[in-house]
Amino acid sequence: MSVLPPQPEFSYKTRRDTLSALQKADAPICFDALVVGGGIVGAGLARELAIRGIQTLVVEKNDYAFGTSSRSSKLIHGGLRYLEMFDFQLVFEALAERHWLLKTHPHLVHPLEFNLPVYARTDAPPGSRSSTLLGLGLWLYDALSLFRTPFFHGTHSVEQMQRLFPKLKTKGLQGGQYYADAMMLDDELVLESIYDAFRRGASALSYVKATRIEKQGDGYLVELEDSLQKSKPFQVRAKEVISCVGPWTEEFGKAVGQSSEKKLKPSKGIHFIIPWKRLPIESCIVMNSPDKRIIFAIPRKDLGFGAEVVIIGTTDAAAPGIDLDDVHADRQSIDYLLEIVTKYFPDAQLTVNDIAMTYAGVRPLLDSGANSEAKTSREHEICRNKDGVVFMAGGKYTTFRKISQEIADFTFPKTKSSSRNEESKALLSSPEEYAEMAAGKKLWGKFTEEYLRWKLQNHAPTSLVDVLFRRMPLWMMGSHIPEAALTRAIEICTEHFGWSKSEADQQKQAFLAEVAKALECVR
């Protein structure tokens, strides 16, 4: 029996009821703020506005976290490499936010040791940094965190590196340097932020698209469409409209007749996932590419027994003209990552046949004039266009809470108050809640049937794809998905959604089609 207080339902039924109320209203319902975009910034902003008592509606044209916010390296980090670009303020803010998340959300964000192998100059892989410079950088990294770090940086012997990374290249290996950062499930933080915003009074709708924004007096008339039912468009009013659509910023501005007046330089990043047993590493390893990119191999043993994987990535390539709604990994990028991993782990003999899954996303980088995506800053900008619509562009996942505060201050300056900062740092969810869900019958890895039922009831999925891609990370197994786990997940979803057998079969095929599409480039 649960010992925790009941939580308000935020499910597909909540979406249906909210949508119905807006569609059937005699006149367009007015909100203080309409937030367009249900990624990490839109979710964080909805929560921040709800904390300030601002009546808010957030709409997302796909599922929450569908885009960039579920396609990251799944790390909470300051960004050691940004020190090379002298982005000290960005790193300082990110490390402060890392501290907040690690301290208050140990069930969502976990410390992770990052290792930088050190080789003799003649045997070092192309792109490797000087060990002296690395040491100085790590001291600065800990200092910028105000030494609030899970553990301080240090060095490993050759023997320790070989224990941590059994198949690591040994020729010329002199040891390693390590430092602390953290890992998470990126979509989980989005969903927890949206849910907390809902609990605080915000309204939220996935699969609802803003198609037109018209300035009217002191506010806006906004036309919305239900992407699932393809029903007649409906309208709402808003005193403020705020765009938080990441790489869709320019595209969205053109579509609704509201230029963003900000130029983006979208960057495509891809990852691939392999079973942990093929590369049994105990910590994250930082690898350097000839073009000075940093590539991670990240063990995800935290997913539980039988679900252990390694995530390898990411690339950073210009993506002009890309279809942002259909982003997938490509073979050239996969081969690029494999080549780097092979230089560090030659004995692993990894090939494309070892890849269980791939994923790709697009970073919403501001066009700063830098000559490469790797050197483009992760800073963000907030502005109003000529009609007063607010646009946020750029940004870094780890600093989503600070960015949300800045947007709220910019849009509603009268609500700015230092006393609200503590409320902003309050829990998104409790460790006790997750511990209770983990105590149920195991479904896959560490995830239980109770966990899945809670997700269905409180994180508002509308389909099996929503569930298994962004509520429970079964998708990471790709071609290795256990049939028993998939079958049981479908049974639980069928009970929740009331699907018929044919509907459940359609949902399964749609999910498997998404998995197959992600693997096209390696099959």
Side-chain angles (χ1 to χ4, degrees), residues 360-414:
V362 179
R363 302 178 190 87
L365 305 183
L366 286 166
D367 189 354
S368 62
N371 59 11
S372 77
E373 284 66 33
K375 293 182 179 178
T376 301
S377 174
R378 269 50 176 176
E379 292 286 3
H380 62 277
E381 290 187 21
I382 307 164
C383 68
R384 289 186 185 272
N385 71 357
K386 58 182 176 59
D387 285 334
V389 175
V390 176
F391 284 82
M392 197 294 292
K396 178 174 164 56
Y397 194 112
T398 304
T399 57
F400 78 90
R401 189 189 67 86
K402 291 293 291 183
I403 293 173
S404 300
Q405 284 187 314
E406 290 178 29
I407 301 171
D409 290 346
F410 179 88
T411 311
F412 296 94
K414 291 182 180 179

Side-chain angles (χ1 to χ4, degrees), residues 96-161:
E97 293 305 289
R98 183 193 71 180
H99 174 69
W100 166 61
L101 286 165
L102 280 168
K103 181 180 178 181
T104 56
H105 296 80
H107 56 301
L108 301 179
V109 180
H110 312 286
L112 180 63
E113 183 181 281
F114 285 64
N115 286 268
L116 304 108
V118 176
Y119 286 91
R121 182 175 299 179
T122 54
D123 296 303
S128 297
R129 272 66 165 178
S130 156
S131 60
T132 301
L133 289 177
L134 282 176
L136 291 173
L138 295 179
W139 272 112
L140 180 57
Y141 200 58
D142 280 351
L144 286 171
S145 75
L146 302 180
F147 299 100
R148 297 176 303 180
T149 181
F151 50 87
F152 296 117
H153 75 274
T155 59
H156 283 316
S157 66
V158 172
E159 292 74 20
Q160 287 171 320
M161 291 294 287

Side-chain angles (χ1 to χ4, degrees), residues 188-223:
E188 189 80 358
L189 278 179
V190 176
L191 293 163
E192 287 290 22
S193 297
I194 282 278
Y195 187 40
D196 195 47
F198 171 75
R199 284 185 297 218
R200 293 172 180 272
S203 299
L205 291 168
S206 60
Y207 294 100
V208 168
K209 183 178 181 180
T211 56
R212 184 168 60 89
I213 301 173
E214 180 183 334
K215 176 71 173 174
Q216 289 191 351
D218 293 334
Y220 304 87
L221 183 68
V222 184
E223 187 170 274

